[in-house]
Amino acid sequence: MLRNGLEPWHLLILAIVVIVLFGSKKLPEAARGLGKSMRILKSEAKAMKTDDEAQPSAAPVAEGRPAD
């Protein structure tokens, strides 16, 4: 079925179809938007990672009252 996967000519045809569909003026705008989205995603993932590291790993133990 798909023994060779994507060959170079498949990628060339795909690139031509994308250029024809979206036009050469829209592609730089789309690339800029994608770049901004990737930067935002990267910064949010980094912020989540630092938030996880800042939280204590062990849950606080509740102090019980001594039995009378």
Side-chain angles (χ1 to χ4, degrees):
M1 197 177 226
L2 290 174
R3 292 188 314 186
N4 293 335
L6 289 176
E7 294 183 11
W9 66 273
H10 289 121
L11 297 175
L12 179 65
I13 291 174
L14 182 64
I16 291 171
V17 169
V18 167
I19 291 172
V20 168
L21 285 177
F22 295 106
S24 60
K25 292 183 180 182
K26 294 282 185 180
L27 289 178
E29 294 173 17
R32 247 181 254 115
L34 182 63
K36 285 181 182 179
S37 298
M38 292 301 293
R39 280 192 297 273
I40 291 170
L41 179 65
K42 186 177 178 180
S43 67
E44 291 296 323
K46 187 177 180 181
M48 287 177 62
K49 185 177 179 183
T50 56
D51 286 347
D52 287 343
E53 290 174 357
Q55 292 176 354
S57 59
V61 177
E63 292 183 25
R65 296 176 60 192
D68 287 328

